[in-house]
Amino acid sequence: MIPSAIRRSAPLAVAVLVAARGGGTAPATPTAAPATPAAATVAPTTGASASAEVTSAPTNASTGEPSVKAPATVAVGASFQVDWTGPNGDRDYVTIVRAGATTWTTEPYFYTSAAASPGTLAAPGAAGAFEVWYVRGVDDVVLAKTTVTVSSFAGTVDGPDSVPAGAEFQVAWTGPNGPGDYVTIVKAGTAKWTNEPYFYTSVGTPGTLLAPIEAGQFELWYVSGSGDTLQLRTPITVLPYSASVDGPGQVAKGAPVSIAWTGPTGPGDYVAIAPAGSSEGTYLAYCYTNTPSPCIIDAPDDAGAYEVRYVTGQAKVLAAEPLLVE
């Protein structure tokens, strides 16, 4: 599932009162996603297939006969240390694979040339019997191995039973807090993460999520970054949003406009004046809803038909009423 991280940002620095003049598109919420640990993003390569980057990796002196030593049991998805010795040859690496595996595929690993003993691995996202290998890079021969048991996931996600649409809320969690672990909110019945709000467990507990603007049944997920494995889900109800704007209806060109509003007050939500009938995300002047209601912004300098709008940080209009500028 490897989402690539949602990071919310405001369109301009948040002030007690913000007013923008001129045309433009609405403040937007850029999206990105959780990524798997960097160590697992480049496959060990061998022989003639080795890339230039890998071939040029520094090689340390031999540390002795090949050996690996790891904890007997590690938590699913958690980081753990591996003591190793070995020839430390070109592209030699240490990895963790399912017991009985015959070759490395896409499992977490580290190069011995880049990680002095002990090195760090991420446990797989699934419980079971595994092995830690020391692998010779030139021919993928396993020179040493030891067994490791990955224990079943133990953790919780604890959010409110219900939350207003578009509002921020907090979620407490417990779990292995492995590299790339994250908590997210998705629609009930969803098979995989796509672009929904999330936070990494590395930020601590509780973390903050943004409720969808769509009401309905949703789930909070705890996902292991190792293999993007869904470990735990718990239900949450998103309630219909309530939003309104109340302006004067008619103003003079360029005059201050006092607008009362109600709404979810999500991150980046704002009240705006836009041309009547213009697309969502269009604005001429706005103020953030993290300022008290009413807010005051200037009317356009050109006479005509406009609208006062309550808009989410994702540029969705939740409420609107006409404004005539004369």
Side-chain angles (χ1 to χ4, degrees):
M1 113 170 67
I2 312 180
S4 139
I6 300 172
R7 289 289 180 264
R8 295 184 292 276
S9 64
L12 300 171
V14 176
V16 175
L17 180 63
V18 180
R21 298 292 291 171
T25 56
T29 301
T31 59
T36 52
T41 59
V42 181
T45 54
T46 61
S49 64
S51 69
E53 291 78 9
V54 173
T55 302
S56 63
T59 301
N60 298 326
S62 171
T63 61
E65 293 298 315
S67 69
V68 283
K69 182 180 179 182
T73 303
V74 296
V76 64
S79 295
F80 66 99
Q81 291 191 319
V82 179
D83 292 295
W84 62 270
T85 59
N88 199 12
D90 186 27
R91 300 185 303 278
D92 287 5
Y93 60 97
V94 174
T95 186
I96 181 169
V97 300
R98 177 77 67 173
T102 58
T103 59
W104 182 93
T105 53
T106 58
E107 296 85 1
Y109 75 96
F110 63 81
Y111 285 111
T112 61
S113 61
S117 182
T120 301
L121 287 176
F130 289 80
E131 295 176 342
V132 172
W133 289 356
Y134 184 110
V135 185
R136 188 165 58 201
V138 294
D139 54 11
D140 282 331
V141 172
V142 178
L143 300 184
K145 64 175 66 175
T146 189
T147 59
V148 174
T149 298
V150 176
S151 61
S152 298
F153 176 83
T156 61
V157 286
D158 185 17
D161 293 333
S162 62
V163 62
E168 283 191 318
F169 65 101
Q170 290 192 318
V171 179
W173 60 270
T174 61
N177 192 22
D181 287 8
Y182 60 98
V183 174
T184 184
I185 180 170
V186 301
K187 194 169 184 63
T190 297
K192 64 178 182 179
W193 188 95
T194 53
N195 60 354
E196 296 85 0
Y198 78 97
F199 63 82
Y200 285 113
T201 59
S202 59
V203 304
T205 184
T208 301
L209 289 177
L210 177 65
I213 204 62
E214 175 190 0
Q217 299 305 309
F218 287 79
E219 293 176 339
L220 300 173
W221 285 3
Y222 186 112
V223 183
S224 288
S226 181
D228 293 291
T229 307
L230 171 59
Q231 301 290 3
L232 180 66
R233 63 178 83 200
T234 189
I236 184 172
T237 300
V238 176
L239 304 173
Y241 66 79
S242 175
S244 67
V245 286
D246 185 13
Q250 182 175 331
V251 296
K253 294 185 294 184
V257 182
S258 178
I259 304 169
W261 57 267
T262 63
T265 319
D269 288 7
Y270 58 99
V271 172
I273 296 175
S278 60
S279 62
E280 288 187 326
T282 303
Y283 69 95
L284 299 176
Y286 67 90
C287 62
Y288 285 106
T289 61
N290 63 357
T291 62
S293 175
C295 68
I296 298 175
I297 52 182
D298 290 340
D301 291 330
D302 297 324
Y306 295 87
E307 291 178 343
V308 174
R309 298 173 174 178
Y310 184 108
V311 190
T312 71
Q314 294 73 44
K316 181 175 179 59
V317 176
L318 301 188
E321 71 167 21
L323 176 69
L324 179 62
V325 176
E326 296 184 323

